[in-house]
């Protein structure tokens, strides 16, 4: 069995999952966390399903060897294609992805079950959020929109301001002019980068639409699973965060710092070779 | 020895090098071309030097096995870190990169030897263009500016318009307000994606600055090397273009079509495993 004194393990293809880390820390400041960004092999979004499965399993195996009590797959692509196989392989360590918690929340919050899903090209191609919503609510109407420029804006630290709003308007402006049928009342941020553009997106979509942040809903799910499995740390734990990357510590530090909202130095990041495991 | 009836081989980490392919075809419409995009392992820019060398050598070996008469390294990162080792390994097949032809042209075109270099983060970190310019002109003054958002804009097909100009202004607007010392009179587009933003960049920099397009200067270099090595095809050659990718043909077709300026279908692209060679 797993051990409550072990850290929470978070895995992403890059730094985007730090938005999930932040939300977990907000709720569980005493928990130790290991964050692994597979920066040597990003982006996962353009890779085939079998490649993503193989990468995700390698990362999970690595974190299990280090010792973790729960695995958070803070990567939409890996959550979409590899969550089932990861759940089997990690047993008895529980696994939480980002897709299902976001879909659940959207269904609970919506009045008319019409949902807008904003994500990367790869995630929209998988229709992962649509499938998860339809499992809960077979009559729901979902519209997935690929917004790849949001990733570049978040990484550049330009999530707010004139350019971000113009880009959001180019992707989502049509929404205001739509006159066919009832409009969606929820918009899911289906990419871990997108919370950095939350205000810009909200400004374009207007007040009538609830923004569902999948980073925040996954963190809520982590709290719930730790409680259910009796895996919460006692209050003496210090809340240490370790960052691991498979390559490129300078970039990880600079871009990751934007996501974390505090400065990161490259000395804070350990380079690991996950292929050895 | 190599054979003039063989195709020109072009290699890039993704679709960006298609700007080089276009410039080569404009000058040499009769030549057959094989274009290999290592899409499974892009981006190279965030990888370590030894990884990029290893990838570039694998791609070169693959193209040599297929049979090519010249290798064009249409990838700034690979040109910056692996050109010397590729030149040795490919002998007697000549190798042309993108960095040196761009640097040469900038030095020839400049009156005051002050150069602006626009590139990705990885290329600016290598200072590859600065080093190449200083070898030719030791007193030159070079300023490298990382413009990563230009890549995302080019891939999205948004190289022109209000958003592209706003982004260019955010990166380069300072240039107009500079009042210390003489201003650069050349700007090198040091990334194969950037020709798609040429007009937007030019609009921000103003008319006093010459834009040096490294895709076009590399193509000129290819023409010269083929002439020098007596490797030009005779006029009966049909100018067939083959596209190979290591993964993601749908995306290659869509984004590559933007770069090519004509539609590409996924059936036009052959998926290859370059690790087998």
């Amino acid at each position: 069995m797993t051990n409550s004194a072990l850290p929470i393990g978070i895995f992403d293809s890059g730094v985007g999952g730090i938005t999930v880390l932040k939300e977990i820390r907000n709720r569980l400041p005493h928990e130790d966390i290991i964050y692994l960004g597979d920066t040597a092999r990003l982006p996962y979004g353009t890779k085939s399903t079998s490649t993503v499965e193989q990468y995700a399993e390698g990362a999970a195996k690595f974190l299990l060897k280090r010792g973790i009590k729960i695995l958070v797959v803070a990567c939409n692509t890996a959550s979409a294609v590899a969550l089932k196989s990861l759940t089997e392989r990690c047993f008895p360590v529980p696994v939480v992805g980002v897709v299902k918690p976001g879909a659940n929340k959207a269904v609970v919050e919506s009045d008319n079950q019409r949902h807008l899903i904003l994500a990367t090209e790869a995630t929209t191609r998988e229709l992962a959020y649509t499938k998860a919503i339809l499992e809960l609510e077979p009559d729901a109407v979902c519209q997935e929109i690929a917004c790849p420029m949001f990733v570049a804006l978040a990484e550049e630290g330009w999530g707010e301001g004139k350019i971000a709003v113009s880009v959001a308007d180019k992707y989502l402006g049509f929404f205001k002019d739509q006159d066919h049928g009832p409009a969606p009342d929820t918009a899911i941020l289906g990419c871990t980068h997108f919370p950095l553009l939350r205000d810009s997106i909200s400004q374009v979509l207007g007040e009538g639409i609830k923004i569902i942040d999948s980073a925040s809903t996954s963190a809520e799910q982590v709290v719930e699973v730790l409680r259910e499995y009796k895996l919460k740390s006692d209050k003496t734990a210090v809340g240490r965060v370790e960052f691991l990357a498979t390559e490129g510590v300078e970039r990880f530090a600079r871009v990751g710092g934007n996501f974390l909202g505090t400065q990161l130095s490259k000395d804070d990041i350990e380079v690991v070779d996950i292929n050895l495991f």
Side-chain angles (χ1 to χ4, degrees), chain A:
Chain A
M1 283 303 291
T2 180
N3 172 347
S4 67
L6 288 173
I8 293 169
I10 305 177
F11 150 63
D12 183 30
S13 57
V15 297
I18 292 178
T19 54
V20 180
L21 181 148
K22 262 184 83 175
E23 296 288 345
I24 293 174
R25 270 186 78 72
N26 285 346
R27 288 163 178 80
L28 301 166
H30 293 287
E31 297 287 347
D32 293 338
I33 299 177
I34 301 187
Y35 182 96
L36 169 61
D38 189 9
T39 43
R41 301 188 293 191
L42 67 80
Y44 280 15
T46 52
K47 308 286 192 298
S48 67
T49 299
S50 66
T51 302
V52 171
E53 272 180 352
Q54 183 199 323
Y55 286 3
E57 280 173 17
K61 217 163 146 189
F62 180 90
L63 286 171
L64 289 172
K65 279 244 179 192
R66 281 255 177 156
I68 53 171
K69 63 182 172 186
I70 183 171
L71 177 67
V72 184
V73 185
C75 167
N76 278 276
T77 306
S79 293
V81 304
L83 204 73
K84 198 166 158 246
S85 71
L86 287 176
T87 304
E88 284 162 12
R89 277 174 188 261
C90 291
F91 181 84
V93 171
V95 177
V96 171
V98 282
V99 175
K100 282 198 178 168
N104 284 343
K105 179 87 167 189
V107 167
V108 170
E109 294 280 318
S110 174
D111 291 323
N112 66 3
Q113 296 308 327
R114 292 181 174 254
H115 306 279
L116 210 55
I117 296 125
L118 318 182
T120 62
E121 219 177 317
T123 306
T124 58
R125 200 173 50 231
E126 292 288 334
L127 291 174
Y129 281 92
T130 296
K131 288 177 197 161
I133 288 171
L134 292 179
E135 259 185 41
L136 300 163
E137 197 61 54
D139 295 329
V141 177
C142 299
Q143 184 174 9
E144 303 222 357
I145 302 169
C147 309
M149 284 284 294
F150 288 173
V151 175
L153 286 165
E155 298 218 334
E156 195 69 344
W158 294 4
E160 291 174 9
K162 207 185 74 178
I163 293 174
V165 174
S166 300
V167 171
D169 193 62
K170 188 145 179 170
Y171 284 129
L172 309 171
F174 76 94
F175 176 78
K176 288 177 294 196
D177 312 324
Q178 237 175 199
D179 55 1
H180 42 86
D185 67 352
T186 76
I188 300 179
L189 307 183
C191 168
T192 50
H193 284 66
F194 294 2
L196 279 84
L197 282 106
R198 189 187 175 117
D199 290 348
S200 305
I201 292 167
S202 186
Q203 195 175 322
V204 170
L205 292 178
E207 286 188 359
I209 195 154
K210 288 169 202 137
I211 306 275
I212 310 293
D213 172 351
S214 63
S216 138
T217 53
S218 307
E220 283 164 21
Q221 178 75 2
V222 170
V223 173
E224 203 162 303
V225 171
L226 290 185
R227 192 183 300 129
E228 188 185 324
Y229 282 68
K230 300 193 181 12
L231 284 173
K232 286 186 76 174
S233 294
D234 59 45
K235 289 283 163 62
T236 59
V238 291
R240 212 165 79 91
V241 179
E242 271 181 275
F243 288 102
L244 315 178
T246 49
E247 202 154 68
V249 289
E250 285 90 358
R251 189 180 155 76
F252 190 109
R254 194 175 52 74
V255 182
N258 287 344
F259 279 70
L260 200 59
T262 59
Q263 216 157 5
L264 265 181
S265 135
K266 67 184 173 118
D267 302 325
D268 297 331
I269 299 138
E270 182 187 343
V271 178
V272 295
D273 186 346
I274 62 179
N275 293 318
L276 295 178
F277 288 82

